[in-house]
């Protein structure tokens, strides 16, 4: 299977589990992550996949999220239990592996920490996390005042 076929198939699978608005957001994140990766010398394929899958558990019903967290033995904090929308990054990292066949630890980590960040993040993790903090991403909303370089620590 060519890379193009792989991405087409992956995008179809993701589109099938998202609302139209979430899918459009996801495509914007995927594109922006790839663009930043190209600019800053990060693996573009990893950035694209992390961007595409970062919200793969976002549109799941809360009860199903809790059930899958139990199924996959994902520990939840009290804050996450009270705010289930936060669960999607941890669960999305597991889905990336179990449902979408991603085994690259850096990609999985970028998905896992895209809402919270963590100490000593890789540049790929920073790209994923920064994008979600800056915009509900429409690449057209990035302005010259957006200081992505400083956010990435460059």
């Amino acid at each position: 299977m060519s890379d193009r076929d792989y991405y087409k198939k992956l995008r179809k699978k993701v589109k099938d589990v998202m609302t139209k608005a979430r899918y459009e957001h996801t495509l914007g994140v995927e594109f922006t992550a790839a663009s930043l990766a190209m600019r800053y010398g990060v693996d573009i394929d990893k950035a694209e996949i992390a961007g595409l899958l970062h919200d793969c558990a976002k549109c799941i019903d809360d009860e199903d999220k809790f059930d899958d967290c139990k199924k996959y033995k994902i520990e939840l904090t009290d804050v996450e239990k009270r705010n289930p929308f936060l669960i999607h990054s941890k669960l999305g990292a597991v889905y990336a592996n179990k449902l979408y066949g991603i085994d690259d630890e850096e990609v999985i980590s970028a998905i896992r920490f895209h809402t919270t960040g963590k100490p000593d993040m890789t540049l790929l993790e920073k790209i994923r996390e920064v994008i979600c903090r800056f915009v509900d991403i429409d690449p057209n909303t990035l302005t010259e005042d957006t200081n992505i370089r400083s956010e990435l620590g460059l």
Side-chain angles (χ1 to χ4, degrees):
M1 179 184 313
S2 72
D3 284 348
R4 185 173 182 187
D5 290 338
Y6 172 77
Y7 284 114
K8 187 175 180 181
K9 185 177 178 179
L10 194 57
R11 283 186 193 102
K12 167 93 172 84
K13 288 172 88 173
V14 169
K15 184 178 183 178
D16 288 346
V17 299
M18 292 184 173
T19 63
K20 184 177 190 258
R22 180 58 47 194
Y23 184 66
E24 288 172 4
H25 160 84
T26 294
L27 292 179
V29 170
E30 176 190 14
F31 172 80
T32 305
S35 298
L36 289 172
M38 187 181 312
R39 168 62 182 90
Y40 294 109
V42 173
D43 186 297
I44 297 168
D45 289 327
K46 289 182 180 187
E48 264 191 296
I49 292 169
L52 182 62
L53 295 179
H54 82 284
D55 276 350
C56 67
K58 184 86 168 186
C59 296
I60 307 298
D61 178 70
D62 288 346
E63 286 306 312
D64 291 335
K65 284 179 190 168
F66 286 120
D67 290 346
D68 280 353
C69 284
K70 185 178 275 190
K71 174 182 174 181
Y72 293 116
K73 297 176 177 51
I74 298 171
E75 290 187 33
L76 300 176
T77 65
D78 289 338
V79 171
E80 290 166 330
K81 290 174 186 173
R82 289 190 308 272
N83 301 281
F85 66 91
L86 295 172
I87 298 170
H88 81 280
S89 59
K90 285 182 176 179
L91 188 56
V94 171
Y95 282 0
N97 178 255
K98 302 287 187 193
L99 304 181
Y100 298 99
I102 304 304
D103 58 6
D104 185 286
E105 286 301 320
E106 191 176 16
V107 171
I108 291 169
S109 184
I111 295 166
R112 164 72 177 80
F113 293 105
H114 84 270
T115 56
T116 60
K118 69 173 188 168
D120 302 317
M121 290 173 30
T122 67
L123 194 49
L124 177 63
E125 290 166 334
K126 288 178 185 179
I127 286 172
R128 265 300 322 112
E129 195 259 344
V130 164
I131 291 170
C132 277
R133 277 195 298 118
F134 266 115
V135 216
D136 194 69
I137 212 69
D138 170 356
N140 298 316
T141 63
L142 294 173
T143 69
E144 60 189 53
D145 294 329
T146 305
N147 195 346
I148 291 176
R149 286 181 57 83
S150 69
E151 291 293 325
L152 294 175
L154 301 174

